[in-house]
């Protein structure tokens, strides 16, 4: 299990999949969370004081630490966040938005393929480097055009998956 998946599964208040991934990028293993400081958390984009306090409190609660240790003793293995394929992968360093409908992939499948190849899937166009536009792409495509963001279609997406 990837560290971000483990963090998400802990059910920390306010921590969704995106925040869990951001935390896993900052801290390399679960033990790092036991000594984190609120200031460390606030440095992470999109984590404010309230969420930082919730995360800090979670990892400084003896019951939660015992539960985590129990899971580890029971055989839960937490692996590295990035697979070996992601570094230098075809989407390495890209912040990608998917918009419209892809005929060959669900949005979830496409997002997983992008992440496996080093990219990060975003929900908003404002901070991305690439937009993958499927059929019936709407306002996100229009906004990407206005911002001059690189836009590719499904065929080019498929080609990038094979490189």
């Amino acid at each position: 299990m990837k560290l971000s998946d483990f963090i998400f599964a802990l059910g920390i208040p306010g921590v969704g999949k995106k925040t869990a991934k951001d935390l896993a990028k900052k801290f390399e293993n679960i033990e790092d969370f036991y000594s984190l400081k609120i200031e460390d958390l606030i440095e992470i984009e999109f984590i404010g004081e309230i969420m930082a306090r919730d995360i800090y409190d979670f990892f400084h609660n003896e019951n939660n630490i015992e539960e985590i240790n129990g899971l580890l003793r029971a055989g839960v293995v937490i692996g590295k966040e990035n697979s070996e394929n992601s570094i230098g992968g075809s989407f390495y360093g890209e912040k990608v938005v998917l918009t419209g409908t892809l005929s060959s992939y669900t949005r979830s499948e496409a997002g997983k393929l992008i992440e496996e190849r080093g990219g990060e899937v975003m929900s908003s166009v404002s901070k991305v480097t690439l937009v993958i536009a499927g059929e019936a792409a709407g306002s996100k495509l229009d906004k990407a055009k206005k911002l001059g963001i690189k836009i590719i279609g499904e065929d080019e997406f498929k080609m990038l998956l094979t490189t």
Side-chain angles (χ1 to χ4, degrees):
M1 167 180 282
K2 292 191 312 186
L3 179 58
S4 62
D5 293 335
F6 185 81
I7 294 166
F8 176 70
L10 291 173
I12 302 166
V15 175
K17 288 186 177 191
K18 167 90 173 74
T19 302
K21 287 180 185 180
D22 292 343
L23 289 167
K25 286 179 187 174
K26 173 93 173 166
F27 305 101
E28 293 186 18
N29 59 61
I30 198 67
E31 290 81 16
D32 290 344
F33 288 89
Y34 302 149
S35 61
L36 62 79
K37 295 177 179 65
I38 291 176
E39 296 79 27
D40 298 330
L41 295 164
I42 292 175
E43 291 176 359
I44 301 171
E45 188 175 16
F46 303 118
I47 294 182
E49 289 185 40
I50 293 171
M51 187 183 298
R53 171 61 64 187
D54 288 343
I55 296 166
Y56 176 88
D57 289 347
F58 184 91
F59 285 105
H60 288 83
N61 177 301
E62 285 299 319
N63 293 330
N64 294 337
I65 293 171
E66 184 53 40
E67 184 176 336
I68 291 167
N69 289 335
L71 290 167
L72 297 174
R73 284 191 304 270
V76 173
V77 177
I78 304 171
K80 295 280 185 197
E81 185 60 21
N82 293 321
S83 67
E84 291 182 24
N85 294 338
S86 68
I87 298 175
S90 53
F91 290 97
Y92 181 72
E94 296 280 2
K95 293 181 185 262
V96 182
V97 161
L98 295 158
T99 186
T101 304
L102 300 176
S103 61
S104 301
Y105 308 95
T106 66
R107 195 172 295 237
S108 176
E109 290 168 337
K112 185 174 181 185
L113 292 167
I114 291 165
E115 290 174 351
E116 287 172 353
R117 289 158 179 80
E120 182 177 357
V121 179
M122 309 291 284
S123 59
S124 171
V125 174
S126 60
K127 295 186 179 188
V128 301
T129 58
L130 177 66
V131 171
I132 299 172
E135 292 295 317
S139 62
K140 288 182 181 179
L141 177 60
D142 295 337
K143 186 172 183 180
K145 287 177 181 176
K146 287 180 185 172
L147 294 172
I149 297 168
K150 182 179 179 181
I151 301 166
I152 64 172
E154 185 168 358
D155 291 338
E156 192 171 350
F157 174 61
K158 287 179 182 178
M159 287 176 39
L160 286 171
L161 293 175
T162 62
T163 59

